[in-house]
């Protein structure tokens, strides 16, 4: 039984999702030090060049090679600049299920990139990798992340109470931990029916079908 994802790139009308490269380090550092990323994720803060080098050189490749998931650098097709991340983790190869997470760079928000890239990965997983379930967990107050889950067709399954530690900025500019609930969403192959076409009609960009 296959227990690792192939080393692939996925193309959409506007984006290329590919493995991380050393050239991504400066933009990756800037993205991960954004206030919203700091607030809603567990990445180190401040996020240093050493953190970026560790992610690109060891952590992301090992996640795929060890069968735990895969991490895609989301880049613009025309400019090739880094605009986000889609990551699959906690992959269960027997159940053919995995958990998806996504981050959008502050300079790329409002363009629909998180939705476009997450949907592209979901289509690849269901159609090419024959997966049966994707799970998304969003902090209760992270409405932007919840909207992405809804747009790609996810169904809310319930709440994990007090299950996540987010961060909030203090008056002196520092950060402190706060506990919050997690909303659990799921996406099954049948949930994707018509989603890509609806998005294409609404936004004007094409469906997502190409990977190599």
């Amino acid at each position: 039984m296959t227990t690792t994802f192939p080393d692939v790139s996925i193309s959409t009308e506007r984006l290329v999702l590919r493995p991380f490269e050393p050239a991504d380090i400066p933009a990756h550092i800037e993205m991960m030090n954004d206030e919203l990323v700091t607030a809603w994720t567990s990445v180190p803060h401040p996020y240093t060049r050493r953190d970026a080098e560790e992610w690109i050189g060891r952590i992301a490749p090992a996640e795929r090679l060890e069968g735990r998931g895969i991490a895609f650098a989301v880049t613009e097709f025309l400019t090739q600049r880094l605009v986000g991340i889609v990551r699959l983790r906690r992959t269960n190869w027997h159940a053919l299920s995995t958990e998806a997470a996504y981050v959008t760079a502050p300079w790329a928000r409002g363009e629909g990139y998180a939705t476009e890239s997450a949907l592209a990965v979901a289509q690849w997983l269901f159609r090419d990798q024959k997966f049966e379930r994707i799970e998304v967990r969003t902090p209760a107050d992270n409405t932007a992340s919840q909207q992405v889950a809804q747009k790609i067709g996810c169904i809310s399954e319930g709440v994990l109470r007090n299950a996540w530690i987010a961060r909030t900025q203090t008056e002196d500019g520092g950060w402190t931990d706060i506990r919050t609930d997690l909303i659990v969403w799921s996406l099954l192959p049948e949930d994707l029916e018509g989603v890509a076409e609806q998005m294409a009609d609404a936004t004007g960009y094409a469906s997502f079908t190409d990977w190599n």
Side-chain angles (χ1 to χ4, degrees):
M1 182 178 68
T2 300
T3 56
T4 58
F5 288 116
D7 193 14
V8 299
S9 295
I10 302 172
S11 298
T12 75
E13 182 75 7
R14 304 185 298 171
L15 303 171
V16 176
L17 287 68
R18 56 161 175 77
F20 277 88
E21 302 171 352
D24 297 321
I25 287 176
H28 183 63
I29 294 170
E30 185 178 355
M31 176 171 61
M32 303 312 279
N33 276 309
D34 173 67
E35 290 182 358
L36 290 180
V37 176
T38 300
W40 296 122
T41 73
S42 58
V43 298
H45 182 75
Y47 196 87
T48 66
R49 183 175 184 88
R50 182 174 181 179
D51 293 321
E53 290 173 345
E54 181 80 351
W55 166 256
I56 291 171
R58 186 185 67 83
I59 297 174
E63 194 153 61
R64 187 186 71 82
L65 291 172
E66 295 171 7
R68 292 180 279 114
I70 190 170
F72 292 101
V74 181
T75 63
E76 283 184 329
F77 177 76
L78 292 177
T79 67
Q80 299 183 29
R81 69 173 178 168
L82 183 70
V83 295
I85 301 169
V86 176
R87 181 185 183 190
L88 304 179
R89 58 191 178 188
R90 301 188 180 99
T91 302
N92 184 323
W93 290 96
H94 178 68
L96 293 175
S97 66
T98 191
E99 181 182 330
Y102 35 82
V103 170
T104 303
W107 54 85
R109 291 182 185 138
E111 301 292 336
Y113 287 163
T115 303
E116 185 172 342
S117 57
L119 183 56
V121 171
Q123 290 183 316
W124 170 74
L125 267 175
F126 290 150
R127 295 177 183 178
D128 192 59
Q129 301 300 304
K130 308 305 180 185
F131 265 56
E132 295 292 341
R133 173 182 168 90
I134 300 172
E135 187 171 297
V136 178
R137 299 184 177 196
T138 62
D141 292 328
N142 189 348
T143 55
S145 184
Q146 293 163 30
Q147 288 171 356
V148 171
Q150 291 173 324
K151 287 178 181 177
I152 67 173
C154 289
I155 304 299
S156 176
E157 292 187 331
V159 176
L160 299 176
R161 297 184 300 162
N162 222 25
W164 184 250
I165 298 177
R167 288 177 282 209
T168 187
Q169 203 157 19
T170 58
E171 292 183 0
D172 62 3
W175 292 87
T176 186
D177 291 345
I178 56 170
R179 298 201 71 94
T180 186
D181 298 341
L182 283 176
I183 301 174
V184 179
W185 308 78
S186 67
L187 188 69
L188 306 183
E190 57 265 32
D191 297 330
L192 282 186
E193 294 179 6
V195 172
E197 290 76 12
Q198 292 171 13
M199 288 179 56
D201 291 341
T203 60
Y205 59 79
S207 185
F208 325 110
T209 57
D210 299 327
W211 47 82
N212 53 58

